[in-house]
Amino acid sequence: MYRNRTCGELNLSNVNEEVTLAGWVHKIRKMGGITFIDLRDRYGITQLSFNEEVNPDLFEKANKLGREWVIQVTGRVTERSSKNPHLPTGDIEIIVSELNVLNPSDIPPFTIEDETDGGDDVRMKYRYLDLRRNTVRKNLELRHRMALETRRYLDERHFLEVETPALIASTPEGARDFIVPSRMNPGEFYALPQSPQLLKQLLMVAGFDRYFQIVKCFRDEDLRADRQPEFTQIDCEMSFVHRDDILNMFEGLTKHLFKTIKGIELPDFPRMSYADAMKYYGSDKPDIRFDMKLVEIKDLTEGHGFGIFDASEYVGAICVEGCANYTRKQLDELTDFVKRPQIGAKGLIYVRYNEDGTIKSSVDKFYTEDDLKKWLERCQAKPGDLLLLLSGETEKTQKQLSELRLEMGSRLGLRNKFDYQCLWVVDFPLLEKDEELNRFFAKHHPFTSPKPEDIPLLDTNPAAVRANAYDIVINGVEVGGGSIRIHDSQLQKKMFSVLGFTEERAQQQFGFLMNAFRYGAPPHGGIAFGLDRFVSLFAGLDSIRDCIAFPKNNMGRDVMLNAPAPVEQEQLDELGIMLKPKK
Amino acid sequence: MYRNRTCGELNLSNVNEEVTLAGWVHKIRKMGGITFIDLRDRYGITQLSFNEEVNPDLFEKANKLGREWVIQVTGRVTERSSKNPHLPTGDIEIIVSELNVLNPSDIPPFTIEDETDGGDDVRMKYRYLDLRRNTVRKNLELRHRMALETRRYLDERHFLEVETPALIASTPEGARDFIVPSRMNPGEFYALPQSPQLLKQLLMVAGFDRYFQIVKCFRDEDLRADRQPEFTQIDCEMSFVHRDDILNMFEGLTKHLFKTIKGIELPDFPRMSYADAMKYYGSDKPDIRFDMKLVEIKDLTEGHGFGIFDASEYVGAICVEGCANYTRKQLDELTDFVKRPQIGAKGLIYVRYNEDGTIKSSVDKFYTEDDLKKWLERCQAKPGDLLLLLSGETEKTQKQLSELRLEMGSRLGLRNKFDYQCLWVVDFPLLEKDEELNRFFAKHHPFTSPKPEDIPLLDTNPAAVRANAYDIVINGVEVGGGSIRIHDSQLQKKMFSVLGFTEERAQQQFGFLMNAFRYGAPPHGGIAFGLDRFVSLFAGLDSIRDCIAFPKNNMGRDVMLNAPAPVEQEQLDELGIMLKPKK
C-alpha cells in the first residue's frame, strides 16, 4: 500500500505516530513560513504542515503542488495549535518529513467542493471529477448500503437472489424495448428486459419459493427529468402467499432500511384503497405528510345559478389552514398555477374564512354567507382558513386539486424531505380503457390477479374489477409496486381475451408462461422497488441522477463516454443490419 | 400464507402439532388402505399419510392426485412406524385431515429427480421444471451464497458496490460487442459492456478508493461449451496499491468463500511466474493438484540419429508414476489422444522403466539403455514409471504435453473435483505479437501496466516486457485475473503507440480516459473473477450452464423464451435500421 492510514481516521490518540498517507491536494494555504495542505481521500481530510525553517527543501516542494495533485506523504502526527471542531481529524496535523508526487493534475474545470461552481453539463462531462465531491459520493455510499441491507434482510428471510438473463425476447406490449441484433441468428433480436416479470414467475413455478434480485432494467422511453433508459429494481417474488403476507414482508424491509440506515423507527404503514386515494387526495400516490384532504361539495353548490359549478360533474375543495389572509396577488399566483398547461384548470374559486368570522368569496354573487358556511362546515374550516375550489370532470378535477394541494403543502412548509410518511395504496382497478381504441389495457400488467370476489365481473363489467395489486408510496413518491399474480392457466387465458389478445397471439407471446402454468404453478405474488428512487428519497435528492454514478442526459446520452455513437460498417455487416437512409 | 410450516423442518419435536403445508406432489405410494404422498417444497420433503378407514373421502381425493400437483394440506404431525434416516423429516409423517388442490398438473415431460430421464433439449425447453430438481436448485442456492459472502467480505473492507452503466459505447478492440440501436439518436448505437474496465478506472480517478460490482457482462463470441453470451463478473478495483496488496486482498476473499461456504481452510496460495508455468506445466493455468511436471530433455537426445528429435526445437517428457506396465493398446490410445486435431501432436514416444529395472522404449533403435537412463534420471523416474515424450516447436509442444499431463492425471484419479489447489500466476507477457498482421496486441488489455523495471524494454524489445498482471487459477481453471493499471497519461500514450494506435484513434476511442488521467489519477489496480466459473468449481460442475438459472445454448438461443426472435417492422422503423436482404 502507498499508505498505512487514511485521511479520515487520525486524532489525538495517534499523536507522535509516524504515518504515511496518500490522497489529493484539496486546499493549499501559504502562511508566510508555513504552508498548510488539506490532503483528501474518500475517508476524510487531514491537514499537512510544511515549515520553511525546519525543512526548506520540502517547504519549497510543497509550495509547488497544485489542487488535485496526487501525493504521498510521511510524517508525524502532532496536536494542532488551532483546532478545527468541524473535522473528525481537526485536532491533529501531520508534520511532513517526506513528500512524493504520485501524479500531477491540470487545473480542474470546476471546484471539488460540496457547493461547486460547475454547471450541469461540465460536471457530467467530467463526471469522474464531479464524483470526487463529498455530496455526490455520499449518495453512492448510501446506495451501496441500501442494496447491502436489502440483501441482508431478504437473505435472512430465505429469499434467493437469482440472476435472470439480460438478453431475452421482445414483447410489444407496454413500453418500448431496447433490442439487440443477434449475429448468430441473423434477422433476429434479443430484447433487454423492462423487468424480469415473467422469469421470476417461472422461478415460482420452479418452486424457488422466495426470489429477489437487484437488477438493471431497460425502457426505451422519451426521457423526463426523473427517468433513465436503464434503471435498477429490487425485484421480488414469493410463493404460497396472500396479499398481506407480501405487504408485511416488504413493509418490514422498508422499516429495516429506515432503521439501519437512517436510524428512524417507522410506525406501521396505513393502507388506503385506490378509490379513497383518489377521493381524498386526487392521486394514486398521496403525500400524507400533511392532511388538507379533498372535500367534495358538489351537492352544496347546486341550484344557485352559478353555471360553472352546475355544469360540473365534480366540485371539490381543499381547506388551507391559516391562509384566509392571502392577498389578491397570492391568489392570482395560485390561479396562474392551476391554469398552467401541465395542470389545465380553467380557474380557481376561493372562500376566505376571516379571523373575525366574516366570509369572503370569489362567488359571493351566487352564494349567500349561509351557503358558504355550509361549505366551510363540510371542510371543517376554522376562522383564518382559506378554501380553494376547482370544478369539472371528476377524475381530472381531483388530479388538479391534488396538484394544488401539493403546491400549498410546499408553500406552507408541510413537506419536509426528511419527515418520511409511508403508505400502501391497494385495490387498484385491474383494467384501464383506452376510449379511442375501445379496448382494455392492464393497468399493472396482464399477469396481475383480479381480487377473487371481482372475478365474475370480468364478464359483466370489466372496468369495475379491482386488481389484487398494491403500491408503496413514501412522501407522495411511488417507490414500489406489485401484485398477486394469476397462477391458473384458465384465468390467464380469460385475462388475455379481456385484453383483446387472440388465442394465437397470446400463445405466441406468452406461450411459455401459459405452458408453465399447466405444470403445477403455485399461488404467488411479488413486488418491485425502484432503487434509484428509493435512494434519492433517502438522500433527499430532487433527481435520481445524483444517486447514479454515470447517468445519461435526457437525450439518453452519456456525454462523458460519448455514447451512443456510430459503429463501424463492418459491425453492421456482421449483424446483417443496415442504417435506414436519412430522408 | 398458505402454510405455517415448510416441508423441510418437521421432526419428532413437533409430534402432535397441527400444521399446514403447501407444495408439490413428489411421489404417491398406494399401499392398500393407506396412501403415502411425498410432499415437496424448496426446503425438503414431508410424508403425508391418508388412511381409508379413518377418512374414506379424503383417501379417495388423495388417490386422485397426480405428480407435480400443487396442494395444501392440514394435519397432525405423527411419529412414523418405519423411519427414513436419509430424510431430515424422516422420523415423522402428517396424518392429513384437510386437502386442498391449489393447482393440478399435466404429466411432466421428465421426472423431477436428481437423476432425471430428461435429455438436455427438453430440460432446457422446460427449464422451470428442470429447476425443480434438487441438484439444479442447489447450484443456484450456492451461487446466491457465494455472491452474498463476496459482498459481505468486500463491504467489511470498505469496498463500495457501484453500478456502472450497461449502455455504453462500443470499442472495436478485443472481442465483439453486442450493440443496441438508439432510437433517440438515429444511426448511433450503445454497446453492452464486455467489462466495466474503463468505468472502474474512472471511479478510481474519482477517488472511490475501493470499488466492486457483481455485474453482467456481454461478449458476442462464437460459443463453446463453457461460454455464455452474458456472464457475471465479480469486478474489483483498488487505489494506492501495489500488486501484492491486491493478491493478498483477493486471496483473502477466496479463502473466505472456501471457509464460509465449503468449510475448507486453504493454505497460502503459491505464486508462479508465467515463464515457470509454461516451462513446468505447459499452461498458463496449471492444475497443481498433481505433480508430473514437464521436463525438457532436448540436450540428452541430440546426435543419436533420431531425426525427429534432432529437428525439434524442444523435446519434453512427463514421468507417469507406476504406469510402466501400460499395454500396447493403452499406449496406442494415448498416441491417438495426442494426435487428435485439438491437440495436434504427430506422435508419442514412450520409455518404460520396468519394475525389474529393464528399460523399454519406442526409440530403442536410436538410444542405448544408458542414454535412456539419463532421461529417466533427469525425470526422477523410479522403476515402474512410464515416460511419455513429445517434441516440436517449444510452446506448441509444451501445450501438447500439458494436455497429455492432464489426461494422465485424470486417468490416474489425481484430479479430484473437491481437492482444491489454488495458485497465482504472475508476470505475464505484456504483449502478444500477431505475426500475420505484424503488430502487437495487449495480452490482458491496453491499460495494464508493464512491470516498472521492464518499461525501458518497451522501446528496445517490447516482446520481452512483462506485465504487472496476475491470474488466480484453481484446479487448472482460470477463475480470475487482473493487473496493476497504467495511471500515467504519458505511459498510457506510449502503450497505445506500441499497440499501433494513431494518436487520433487513441484519442477518439479512449480520450475520456486519457483526459481523466490528466486530473490526478491515483496508482490503482484490480481484478475480476468469473462468477459462473467460480460457482461451478465450488459445485463440482463440468459446465457453467448448470449454475445459471436460464442459460443459452451454443447458438446463443434461449429455447424456453424463444429468444432471439424477429421483431415487428415498426420497431425497426422507429430505430432507423433495416435488415440486410438475405443473399
Side-chain angles (χ1 to χ4, degrees):
Chain A
M1 296 285 294
Y2 284 77
R3 67 184 177 214
N4 56 22
R5 297 295 198 142
T6 71
C7 294
E9 67 185 71
L10 297 170
N11 57 43
L12 287 178
S13 74
N14 304 102
V15 163
N16 279 327
E17 285 177 24
E18 187 171 271
V19 297
T20 301
L21 300 178
W24 286 262
V25 172
H26 188 64
K27 256 191 202 136
I28 307 177
R29 273 158 300 147
K30 301 181 182 175
M31 324 275 277
I34 300 187
T35 290
F36 294 108
I37 289 182
D38 282 350
L39 186 68
R40 188 193 69 233
D41 66 13
R42 180 183 125 198
Y43 310 96
I45 284 179
T46 296
Q47 180 168 295
L48 311 178
S49 165
F50 298 85
N51 189 317
E52 185 170 18
E53 272 180 37
V54 176
N55 191 334
D57 288 351
L58 205 63
F59 178 76
E60 198 184 337
K61 203 170 163 190
N63 281 339
K64 284 184 184 147
L65 298 174
R67 274 202 295 136
E68 299 306 315
W69 287 39
V70 186
I71 62 171
Q72 179 190 39
V73 295
T74 298
R76 195 163 292 282
V77 182
T78 313
E79 183 167 2
R80 277 203 217 179
S81 50
S82 78
K83 300 193 169 53
N84 179 349
H86 305 298
L87 218 56
T89 63
D91 288 346
I92 58 95
E93 63 186 4
I94 312 293
I95 308 296
V96 177
S97 54
E98 240 185 283
L99 166 63
N100 189 2
V101 173
L102 299 176
N103 221 341
S105 172
D106 288 3
I107 293 167
F110 52 86
T111 58
I112 312 295
E113 301 281 356
D114 287 359
E115 299 291 330
T116 181
D117 56 358
D120 217 48
D121 289 350
V122 67
R123 287 194 297 108
M124 283 302 139
K125 182 159 181 218
Y126 295 89
R127 182 65 166 172
Y128 46 87
L129 297 179
D130 197 33
L131 288 171
R132 282 189 193 163
R133 294 166 56 225
N134 216 28
T135 40
V136 184
R137 200 198 54 248
K138 287 270 174 241
N139 297 335
L140 288 155
E141 289 179 356
L142 173 65
R143 187 182 181 108
H144 162 77
R145 276 185 296 139
M146 285 180 73
L148 201 76
E149 283 301 333
T150 298
R151 288 191 162 98
R152 202 189 304 267
Y153 176 91
L154 293 173
D155 174 66
E156 278 168 8
R157 282 151 190 84
H158 306 296
F159 283 80
L160 291 176
E161 184 161 26
V162 179
E163 293 177 61
T164 53
L167 298 171
I168 61 170
S170 186
T171 51
E173 283 301 290
R176 260 187 230 96
D177 287 323
F178 283 104
I179 61 173
V180 182
S182 166
R183 181 180 53 85
M184 287 206 276
N185 304 276
E188 300 192 330
F189 295 79
Y190 301 101
L192 301 178
Q194 298 185 27
S195 96
Q197 181 61 36
L198 296 175
L199 292 157
K200 70 176 174 174
Q201 291 193 243
L202 291 177
L203 286 174
M204 293 304 105
V205 176
F208 270 56
D209 204 67
R210 294 181 170 198
Y211 144 94
F212 82 102
Q213 188 181 190
I214 300 186
V215 59
K216 274 274 174 74
C217 299
F218 304 85
R219 241 171 248 176
D220 186 10
E221 285 176 336
D222 296 314
L223 302 174
R224 289 177 287 155
D226 217 23
R227 286 270 175 96
Q228 288 280 313
E230 50 181 303
F231 54 97
T232 304
Q233 301 225 307
I234 304 171
D235 190 50
C236 310
E237 197 81 2
M238 299 173 77
S239 288
F240 299 117
V241 288
H242 300 288
R243 187 196 73 182
D244 284 0
D245 300 315
I246 296 190
L247 299 198
N248 291 337
M249 177 64 73
F250 292 97
E251 185 166 323
L253 169 63
T254 308
K255 286 177 177 174
H256 174 80
L257 291 175
F258 272 102
K259 188 172 169 190
T260 52
I261 288 171
K262 298 193 78 79
I264 296 173
E265 298 250 15
L266 291 177
D268 289 347
F269 304 176
R271 295 175 188 183
M272 189 186 294
S273 71
Y274 172 86
D276 279 355
M278 291 309 293
K279 182 172 175 189
Y280 295 119
Y281 297 93
S283 167
D284 59 2
K285 37 179 198 279
D287 183 346
I288 58 168
R289 280 175 295 186
F290 62 106
D291 203 27
M292 209 189 285
K293 288 198 188 70
L294 279 52
V295 180
E296 181 166 4
I297 58 162
K298 167 75 179 165
D299 56 317
L300 302 179
T301 65
E302 280 174 330
H304 291 77
F306 184 45
I308 294 178
F309 279 4
D310 286 349
S312 293
E313 184 187 7
Y314 173 93
V315 179
I318 55 173
C319 171
V320 189
E321 254 188 79
C323 288
N325 56 359
Y326 254 38
T327 62
R328 183 76 236 168
K329 189 168 161 252
Q330 284 173 303
L331 289 168
D332 285 348
E333 265 173 35
L334 293 180
T335 306
D336 289 346
F337 173 83
V338 297
K339 284 167 106 174
R340 288 160 44 183
Q342 306 94 302
I343 299 181
K346 297 248 165 61
L348 178 69
I349 307 291
Y350 68 84
V351 182
R352 284 197 176 112
Y353 192 4
N354 293 316
E355 288 285 0
D356 61 6
T358 60
I359 298 172
K360 174 85 191 113
S361 150
S362 50
V363 286
D364 283 348
K365 239 194 284 179
F366 303 97
Y367 298 96
T368 66
E369 206 168 289
D370 276 351
D371 295 333
L372 297 175
K373 264 217 169 114
K374 283 187 194 135
W375 301 5
L376 293 170
E377 257 166 43
R378 181 170 296 170
C379 296
Q380 300 181 286
K382 303 176 308 297
D385 292 353
L386 173 72
L387 289 204
L388 297 173
L389 289 83
L390 294 175
S391 64
E393 188 269 309
T394 305
E395 201 176 316
K396 214 165 125 184
T397 311
Q398 285 172 334
K399 285 183 180 167
Q400 292 163 351
L401 264 177
S402 169
E403 294 296 332
L404 181 61
R405 174 182 175 271
L406 293 175
E407 171 69 15
M408 294 316 297
S410 297
R411 285 182 181 230
L412 298 178
L414 303 174
R415 303 178 72 194
N416 173 2
K417 272 181 189 176
F418 298 106
D419 164 25
Y420 295 98
Q421 300 286 339
C422 307
L423 168 74
W424 289 105
V425 178
V426 298
D427 297 350
F428 282 81
L430 182 70
L431 302 163
E432 248 173 346
K433 190 157 193 175
D434 185 314
E435 297 293 347
E436 234 167 277
L437 297 175
N438 192 32
R439 61 167 272 214
F440 284 107
F441 284 87
K443 196 168 164 81
H444 193 50
H445 54 55
F447 318 107
T448 296
S449 176
K451 299 202 78 159
E453 62 268 35
D454 289 3
I455 292 179
L457 291 174
L458 276 175
D459 290 314
T460 55
N461 183 9
V465 177
R466 290 165 305 162
N468 212 341
Y470 32 80
D471 276 356
I472 181 165
V473 174
I474 305 180
N475 293 1
V477 175
E478 182 206 322
V479 171
S483 64
I484 295 294
R485 326 298 183 188
I486 297 169
H487 67 279
D488 175 273
S489 55
Q490 289 312 310
L491 183 57
Q492 187 66 66
K493 253 190 201 163
K494 164 128 223 147
M495 185 69 187
F496 281 128
S497 114
V498 171
L499 293 172
F501 279 67
T502 61
E503 205 153 319
E504 194 193 1
R505 205 169 124 239
Q507 191 59 39
Q508 191 201 329
Q509 279 181 34
F510 303 110
F512 59 94
L513 184 74
M514 296 209 283
N515 280 343
F517 283 177
R518 285 170 35 216
Y519 292 100
H524 61 286
I527 193 167
F529 289 77
L531 181 62
D532 308 289
R533 205 152 291 172
F534 212 175
V535 176
S536 51
L537 201 77
F538 268 58
L541 299 174
D542 294 323
S543 159
I544 60 170
R545 272 189 215 173
D546 287 330
C547 67
I548 296 172
F550 300 103
K552 296 193 170 52
N553 70 13
N554 54 13
M555 281 302 291
R557 296 201 72 82
D558 184 321
V559 294
M560 180 189 71
L561 297 177
N562 190 28
V567 298
E568 311 209 345
Q569 185 58 42
E570 205 189 327
Q571 274 177 286
L572 299 180
D573 291 345
E574 276 199 315
L575 294 169
I577 59 173
M578 308 190 296
L579 298 184
K580 236 175 152 169
K582 281 183 187 152
K583 279 167 208 160
Chain B
M1 296 284 294
Y2 285 77
R3 65 182 178 216
N4 57 20
R5 296 296 197 140
T6 71
C7 294
E9 66 185 72
L10 297 170
N11 56 44
L12 286 179
S13 74
N14 305 102
V15 164
N16 278 328
E17 286 178 22
E18 187 171 272
V19 298
T20 301
L21 300 177
W24 285 262
V25 172
H26 189 62
K27 256 190 203 136
I28 307 176
R29 271 159 301 149
K30 301 182 182 175
M31 326 274 278
I34 301 188
T35 290
F36 294 109
I37 289 183
D38 282 350
L39 187 67
R40 188 192 70 231
D41 66 12
R42 181 182 124 200
Y43 310 96
I45 285 179
T46 297
Q47 180 168 298
L48 312 178
S49 165
F50 299 85
N51 190 319
E52 185 172 17
E53 272 180 36
V54 176
N55 193 334
D57 288 352
L58 206 61
F59 178 76
E60 197 184 338
K61 202 170 167 191
N63 281 339
K64 284 185 185 148
L65 298 174
R67 274 204 291 136
E68 300 305 316
W69 286 39
V70 185
I71 61 171
Q72 180 191 38
V73 295
T74 298
R76 196 162 293 279
V77 183
T78 314
E79 183 168 0
R80 274 203 218 178
S81 50
S82 78
K83 300 193 169 57
N84 179 350
H86 305 299
L87 217 57
T89 62
D91 288 347
I92 57 96
E93 63 186 3
I94 312 293
I95 308 295
V96 177
S97 53
E98 239 186 285
L99 166 63
N100 190 3
V101 173
L102 300 176
N103 221 340
S105 172
D106 286 5
I107 294 167
F110 51 87
T111 58
I112 312 295
E113 300 283 354
D114 288 0
E115 299 291 331
T116 180
D117 56 356
D120 217 47
D121 289 350
V122 68
R123 287 195 296 109
M124 284 303 139
K125 181 156 182 224
Y126 295 89
R127 182 64 166 172
Y128 45 85
L129 296 180
D130 197 31
L131 288 170
R132 282 188 194 164
R133 293 165 57 225
N134 216 28
T135 41
V136 183
R137 201 197 53 247
K138 288 271 175 241
N139 297 333
L140 288 156
E141 289 178 357
L142 173 66
R143 187 181 181 110
H144 163 76
R145 276 185 295 139
M146 285 182 72
L148 201 76
E149 282 301 332
T150 298
R151 289 189 161 100
R152 202 189 304 267
Y153 176 92
L154 292 173
D155 174 66
E156 278 168 7
R157 282 150 190 86
H158 306 296
F159 283 79
L160 291 176
E161 184 159 26
V162 180
E163 292 177 63
T164 54
L167 297 171
I168 62 170
S170 186
T171 52
E173 283 300 291
R176 260 186 231 97
D177 287 323
F178 282 105
I179 61 174
V180 182
S182 166
R183 182 180 53 86
M184 287 206 275
N185 304 274
E188 300 191 332
F189 295 79
Y190 302 100
L192 301 179
Q194 297 185 27
S195 95
Q197 182 61 35
L198 297 174
L199 292 157
K200 71 176 173 174
Q201 291 194 243
L202 291 177
L203 287 174
M204 294 303 104
V205 176
F208 270 56
D209 205 67
R210 294 180 171 200
Y211 143 93
F212 83 102
Q213 189 182 189
I214 300 186
V215 59
K216 274 274 174 75
C217 298
F218 304 85
R219 242 172 247 176
D220 186 10
E221 285 176 335
D222 296 314
L223 302 174
R224 288 177 287 155
D226 217 24
R227 286 270 175 95
Q228 287 279 314
E230 49 181 302
F231 54 98
T232 304
Q233 301 224 306
I234 305 171
D235 190 50
C236 310
E237 198 81 2
M238 298 172 78
S239 289
F240 299 118
V241 288
H242 301 288
R243 186 196 72 182
D244 284 0
D245 299 316
I246 295 189
L247 299 198
N248 292 337
M249 178 63 75
F250 293 97
E251 185 166 323
L253 169 62
T254 308
K255 286 178 176 173
H256 173 80
L257 291 176
F258 271 102
K259 189 170 166 191
T260 53
I261 288 172
K262 295 194 78 78
I264 296 173
E265 297 251 15
L266 291 177
D268 288 347
F269 302 176
R271 295 176 187 183
M272 189 186 295
S273 71
Y274 172 85
D276 279 355
M278 291 309 293
K279 184 172 171 189
Y280 295 119
Y281 297 92
S283 167
D284 59 0
K285 38 179 196 282
D287 183 345
I288 57 168
R289 279 174 296 186
F290 63 107
D291 202 28
M292 210 188 287
K293 289 197 186 73
L294 277 53
V295 181
E296 181 165 5
I297 58 162
K298 166 77 177 161
D299 56 319
L300 301 181
T301 65
E302 280 173 331
H304 289 76
F306 185 45
I308 294 177
F309 279 4
D310 287 349
S312 294
E313 186 187 5
Y314 173 93
V315 180
I318 54 173
C319 172
V320 189
E321 255 186 80
C323 289
N325 57 358
Y326 255 39
T327 61
R328 184 75 238 168
K329 189 168 161 250
Q330 285 174 303
L331 290 167
D332 284 349
E333 265 174 36
L334 292 179
T335 306
D336 290 345
F337 173 81
V338 296
K339 283 167 106 173
R340 287 162 42 182
Q342 306 94 303
I343 299 182
K346 297 247 166 59
L348 178 69
I349 307 292
Y350 68 84
V351 182
R352 284 200 177 109
Y353 193 3
N354 294 316
E355 288 285 0
D356 62 7
T358 60
I359 299 171
K360 174 84 191 111
S361 150
S362 49
V363 287
D364 284 348
K365 238 194 286 180
F366 304 98
Y367 299 97
T368 65
E369 206 169 289
D370 276 354
D371 295 334
L372 296 175
K373 264 216 169 116
K374 282 186 196 138
W375 302 5
L376 292 170
E377 259 166 42
R378 181 167 297 168
C379 296
Q380 299 181 288
K382 302 176 309 297
D385 291 353
L386 174 72
L387 289 203
L388 297 172
L389 289 85
L390 295 175
S391 64
E393 188 267 308
T394 305
E395 201 175 315
K396 215 164 122 185
T397 311
Q398 286 172 334
K399 285 183 182 168
Q400 293 164 351
L401 264 177
S402 168
E403 293 295 334
L404 181 59
R405 174 181 175 271
L406 293 175
E407 171 68 14
M408 294 315 298
S410 297
R411 285 181 181 233
L412 297 177
L414 303 173
R415 303 179 71 194
N416 173 2
K417 272 180 187 175
F418 298 106
D419 164 26
Y420 294 99
Q421 299 288 339
C422 306
L423 169 75
W424 289 105
V425 178
V426 299
D427 297 351
F428 281 80
L430 183 70
L431 303 162
E432 248 174 345
K433 191 157 192 174
D434 185 313
E435 296 294 345
E436 234 168 276
L437 298 174
N438 192 32
R439 61 167 271 214
F440 284 107
F441 284 88
K443 197 169 164 76
H444 193 51
H445 54 54
F447 318 107
T448 297
S449 177
K451 299 203 78 159
E453 61 269 34
D454 289 2
I455 291 178
L457 291 174
L458 276 175
D459 290 315
T460 55
N461 184 8
V465 177
R466 289 166 305 163
N468 213 342
Y470 32 81
D471 276 357
I472 182 165
V473 175
I474 305 180
N475 294 1
V477 175
E478 181 206 322
V479 172
S483 63
I484 296 294
R485 326 297 184 187
I486 297 169
H487 67 280
D488 175 274
S489 55
Q490 289 311 311
L491 183 57
Q492 187 66 65
K493 253 190 199 161
K494 164 128 222 147
M495 185 68 186
F496 281 128
S497 113
V498 171
L499 293 172
F501 278 67
T502 62
E503 205 154 319
E504 195 194 0
R505 207 171 122 240
Q507 190 59 39
Q508 192 201 329
Q509 277 182 34
F510 303 110
F512 60 93
L513 185 74
M514 297 212 282
N515 280 344
F517 282 176
R518 285 168 36 213
Y519 292 100
H524 63 285
I527 194 167
F529 288 78
L531 180 62
D532 308 288
R533 205 152 290 172
F534 213 174
V535 175
S536 51
L537 201 75
F538 268 58
L541 299 174
D542 295 321
S543 159
I544 59 170
R545 271 189 216 174
D546 286 330
C547 67
I548 296 172
F550 300 103
K552 295 193 172 50
N553 71 14
N554 54 13
M555 281 304 290
R557 296 200 71 84
D558 184 321
V559 293
M560 181 190 69
L561 296 176
N562 190 27
V567 298
E568 311 210 345
Q569 185 59 41
E570 205 188 328
Q571 274 178 286
L572 299 180
D573 291 345
E574 277 199 315
L575 294 168
I577 60 174
M578 306 191 295
L579 298 185
K580 236 175 152 169
K582 279 183 188 153
K583 279 169 207 157

